[in-house]
Amino acid sequence: MMKRTIAVTAVAGAAVLAAQLPASAGSSTALLRLRAGLTLEIPNSWRVYGTADQIRVVTGACARPEGGYFQPRCDSFWVMGPKTLKRGGEGFRRYDPTQGPYYPASDVQRCLAYPKYGQVMGKAVVVGYRNVGVAHRAHYRVWPGRCVSYSSSEQKSTFNQREWYLPQSKILVVDQWATPGLATILKNAVWDD
């Protein structure tokens, strides 16, 4: 049974977004091929935007799917590569999961669900490892986020930023929308190695 395939592969450091192949009747999933031989089986209703080094997978409503990382009101998760990670830590320093969450900014950014508020990240509340496919362990962190008033700093809402970081392949998956099924999709990933 041929499944619709969305292929994103790295070729000598450049991105190639391959055409979507036709889905067979009744197919509910597609294959998302990422850098370093990583393949995820995702619902075929999800849409993929970006380049090999910064991919947004839109999983629901999204006003501007091609917007940047802090684009509000876009149900999605991100897959980041090594170039993006060089400036992925707070203050645009190199991303390091032991030093803080993925936060490529030096100031308070808009809260994704409530853009009139700012987001403030706390210390990781879950620290450990999770498998991404067989024999590939990711550093796993859950960072609590708060949406606060810019004027009073009063907390208006909360969210969690989940991160899976694969240091050998330099892949980071960032999810701020509690994407249903994402943990299972990553656990069941397939690698070409």
Side-chain angles (χ1 to χ4, degrees):
M1 176 180 221
M2 183 192 301
K3 295 183 179 182
R4 184 178 78 174
T5 302
I6 302 170
V8 180
T9 57
V11 178
V16 177
L17 292 175
Q20 294 181 11
L21 300 176
S24 60
S27 176
S28 63
T29 62
L31 298 178
L32 174 59
R33 296 182 57 91
L34 300 163
R35 63 180 319 281
L38 174 61
T39 301
L40 306 178
E41 186 172 359
I42 62 173
N44 65 13
S45 61
W46 293 1
R47 298 290 173 245
V48 178
Y49 299 86
T51 67
D53 201 63
Q54 192 172 41
I55 296 169
R56 170 179 260 161
V57 180
V58 176
T59 61
C62 185
R64 291 191 53 221
E66 294 176 351
Y69 179 74
F70 291 108
Q71 178 66 43
R73 295 191 176 117
C74 185
D75 294 358
S76 58
F77 66 90
W78 289 88
V79 181
M80 309 297 190
K83 289 179 187 173
T84 301
L85 296 177
K86 285 181 182 177
R87 296 175 45 91
E90 188 170 4
F92 300 106
R93 66 179 193 279
R94 182 176 296 278
Y95 171 79
D96 179 342
T98 66
Q99 298 299 310
Y102 182 81
Y103 194 87
S106 59
D107 56 357
V108 176
Q109 294 295 308
R110 294 184 296 172
C111 191
L112 297 179
Y114 305 99
K116 69 180 182 177
Y117 304 123
Q119 65 174 281
V120 178
M121 304 302 293
K123 294 185 184 214
V125 293
V126 176
V127 175
Y129 294 92
R130 298 288 190 274
N131 285 339
V132 174
V134 175
H136 290 266
R137 287 173 41 108
H139 293 270
Y140 179 73
R141 304 281 191 275
V142 176
W143 305 92
R146 299 181 305 121
C147 299
V148 300
S149 166
Y150 282 107
S151 60
S152 68
S153 297
E154 179 184 351
Q155 179 175 303
K156 302 293 185 175
S157 179
T158 62
F159 65 94
N160 285 320
Q161 178 166 309
R162 301 184 300 169
E163 298 181 356
W164 292 260
Y165 177 57
L166 295 144
Q168 287 187 318
S169 50
K170 303 225 181 325
I171 296 172
L172 173 66
V173 178
V174 181
D175 178 30
Q176 291 184 321
W177 291 95
T179 302
L182 180 58
T184 301
I185 288 169
L186 292 170
K187 183 178 178 181
N188 294 328
V190 175
W191 293 85
D192 290 344
D193 58 14

